[in-house]
Amino acid sequence: MDRKEFLNVKRIVVKLGTNILRNEHGEVALPRIYSFIEDISSLVKAGKEVILVTSGAVGFGKKKLNITSTDSPALKQACAAIGQGKLMSIYEDGFDTYNIITGQILLTEDDFSQRKKYLTLRATLNRLLELKAVPIINQNDTVTVIESDDTFNDVQVCFQDNDKLSALIASELDADLLIILSDVPGLYKENPKLNPNAEFIKEVTGVTPEILAMGTDASEGGRGGMRTKLEAAKLVTRYGGKVLIANGKIPFVLSEIFNYKEIGTMFIPTVEYLSEKKRWIGYATNIIGKLIVNDGAKEAILKKESSLLPIGVVSILNDFKRGEVVSIRDTNDVEFARGIVNYNSEDCKRIIGNHSKEILNVLGFKNYDAIITRDNITIL
Ligand code: GLU
């Protein structure tokens, strides 16, 4: 796809990673941050809607405390509390210079997982954009309990890093483009740190398992690596959005991008379109309950987009309530779909393996024939 067509967009989420907000001494990279602010202000004045997802709170906090690592979740959370104010004051002052209003939003997984909160957040963000403000979003590190609470060991959390957070925001707002800026130029076929001749990939259509396998782990500083960026790209391209992963250290990189310079790796949307509700089911919730299904049920879901009937379910793991999103797994425990359950875990345990016509006999009541109705299933 040519760059002009790729950048024919209105609503853009820009994600800035910790390593491009600091210089090589770990200090705030003020000139670079101001260049982002200037570029984003120009985009807003040109009629674009921009949402900024920014890391940096923990890194700035560490610098203020003069420490290089955090040995406990509580210290890291304290760093975030110290650094977030600094981060926001830079953005607010900077955008003020260009007469652009900002609004701070700090989020945890629950804000996505609970559908009411998710819809409230969406309304607030849309209102901010109508007001021509730039929402500035970060994970609410100070109150997130994921790292410090063992009860979360068995939970599949909807996001733990800002790459995934930026994709969830893009998805929630139907953004046309997500730009992820970090200290890497884009996607290579192999890890360029191990093979300096690794081939650079300019364009990707469809984030396939082969593409996902090219992902590497996080670098020092931020939480995400190429793997989390590719997962973010997968989510956004599945609903029809575009993604660009590029090097944020290129001077005035956002202006360069919008001047159609060949920078970064472009991810082109796939033809598939996921409705807003299916995106929420597939990606935005924390998952506790799991259903193991037999091969017949797996094939029916994947090939015919069928509902999941009790007869196809082999076992139930963990407790869940009716209406929650659960993980749908094959007999090798590989997750391939997620869906909203019509029965709680206790009732599910009693009806699995039975024909749907037996549900009334077994439970004494029947809500639905299916444990999960087809409209409430998202294939991953
Ligand atoms: N929320 C973290 C911070 O502000 C960064 C998380 C990430 O890099 O993904 O420092």
Side-chain angles (χ1 to χ4, degrees):
M1 188 181 277
D2 89 6
R3 286 270 163 168
K4 268 210 166 127
E5 189 187 344
F6 184 75
L7 292 165
N8 182 13
V9 292
K10 163 107 174 147
R11 185 169 281 192
I12 308 159
V13 175
V14 176
K15 187 259 168 176
L16 304 175
T18 297
N19 287 333
I20 57 169
L21 300 173
R22 299 186 301 190
N23 64 21
E24 65 271 31
H25 309 295
E27 294 151 346
V28 180
L30 214 44
R32 192 181 300 129
I33 299 179
Y34 266 79
S35 76
F36 294 134
I37 293 170
E38 191 176 339
D39 279 353
I40 291 172
S41 300
S42 304
L43 288 172
V44 172
K45 285 182 179 158
K48 312 268 188 210
E49 295 171 326
V50 183
I51 302 100
L52 182 58
V53 175
T54 180
S55 302
V58 175
F60 289 2
K62 282 200 244 174
K63 187 69 197 167
K64 277 204 165 190
L65 292 175
N66 220 357
I67 55 176
T68 50
S69 60
T70 47
D71 54 10
S72 68
L75 180 55
K76 196 166 173 190
Q77 292 178 304
C79 286
I82 293 165
Q84 180 64 31
K86 174 83 186 155
L87 187 64
M88 200 55 208
S89 73
I90 295 172
Y91 285 124
E92 198 164 359
D93 275 357
F95 278 109
D96 230 26
T97 317
Y98 300 95
N99 287 322
I100 303 275
I101 300 167
T102 55
Q104 173 182 253
I105 300 192
L106 299 175
L107 298 170
T108 65
E109 321 74 46
D110 269 356
D111 300 320
F112 291 91
S113 258
Q114 295 185 28
R115 190 144 168 87
K116 272 202 182 134
K117 284 193 176 189
Y118 180 82
L119 296 175
T120 305
L121 172 64
R122 190 167 66 160
T124 308
L125 286 167
N126 276 317
R127 196 75 186 94
L128 280 167
L129 293 171
E130 277 166 31
L131 295 166
K132 307 257 176 285
V134 173
I136 300 186
I137 301 174
N138 194 359
Q139 182 171 10
N140 196 358
D141 301 277
T142 50
V143 293
T144 182
V145 291
I146 300 301
E147 279 175 84
S148 52
D149 188 341
D150 287 345
T151 53
F152 277 86
N153 287 349
D154 210 21
V155 180
Q156 291 168 262
V157 184
C158 64
F159 79 91
Q160 272 186 295
D161 58 77
N162 278 358
D163 292 330
K164 184 75 188 292
L165 173 60
S166 65
L168 288 173
I169 292 290
S171 161
E172 185 169 22
L173 292 176
D174 257 311
D176 306 305
L177 173 66
L178 166 64
I179 302 179
I180 299 182
L181 297 178
S182 73
D183 57 356
V184 292
L187 181 63
Y188 288 88
K189 277 204 166 146
E190 294 160 74
N191 186 346
K193 285 186 184 136
L194 304 176
N195 176 6
N197 299 320
E199 192 187 324
F200 187 74
I201 303 175
K202 281 188 179 174
E203 185 175 322
V204 171
T205 308
V207 183
T208 58
E210 293 73 43
I211 294 285
L212 281 173
M214 294 174 194
T216 46
D217 282 327
S219 60
E220 196 31 53
R223 237 170 253 169
M226 188 48 79
R227 202 188 316 281
T228 55
K229 291 177 181 48
L230 292 174
E231 276 161 16
K234 180 174 175 187
L235 163 54
V236 173
T237 51
R238 274 197 80 184
Y239 78 77
K242 299 163 183 167
V243 178
L244 184 72
I245 297 180
N247 187 348
K249 288 191 173 171
I250 297 171
F252 290 92
V253 65
L254 288 169
S255 300
E256 297 286 21
I257 289 168
F258 280 91
N259 282 328
Y260 310 125
K261 294 271 169 60
E262 296 271 330
I263 294 171
T265 302
M266 299 190 288
F267 293 80
I268 315 291
T270 42
V271 281
E272 187 181 13
Y273 177 79
L274 274 188
S275 70
E276 179 276 320
K277 188 160 179 210
K278 288 219 172 197
R279 277 179 242 162
W280 179 77
I281 293 170
Y283 299 97
T285 65
N286 292 342
I287 304 283
I288 300 172
K290 297 172 185 173
L291 309 184
I292 308 291
V293 306
N294 64 27
D295 292 347
K298 180 178 177 181
E299 197 176 310
I301 290 173
L302 292 182
K303 298 218 173 113
K304 296 189 221 141
E305 296 188 15
S306 306
S307 297
L308 177 61
L309 302 175
I311 191 118
V313 183
V314 179
S315 59
I316 308 281
L317 298 170
N318 300 334
D319 291 339
F320 49 82
K321 296 194 201 86
R322 175 182 168 194
E324 281 183 9
V325 178
V326 299
S327 171
I328 306 173
R329 298 168 167 258
D330 64 19
T331 44
N332 296 319
D333 202 25
V334 176
E335 180 179 46
F336 64 92
R338 289 179 178 181
I340 299 177
V341 273
N342 292 331
Y343 295 91
N344 67 31
S345 47
E346 278 314 303
D347 292 340
C348 280
K349 278 179 197 156
R350 293 170 62 198
I351 59 176
I352 58 173
N354 283 297
H355 282 289
S356 300
K357 60 178 187 319
E358 296 297 326
I359 294 177
L360 186 59
N361 272 346
V362 177
L363 295 181
F365 70 94
K366 180 162 113 174
N367 298 334
Y368 296 88
D369 279 345
I371 285 193
I372 306 182
T373 317
R374 59 198 300 168
D375 291 345
N376 289 330
I377 295 179
T378 302
I379 294 164
L380 298 177

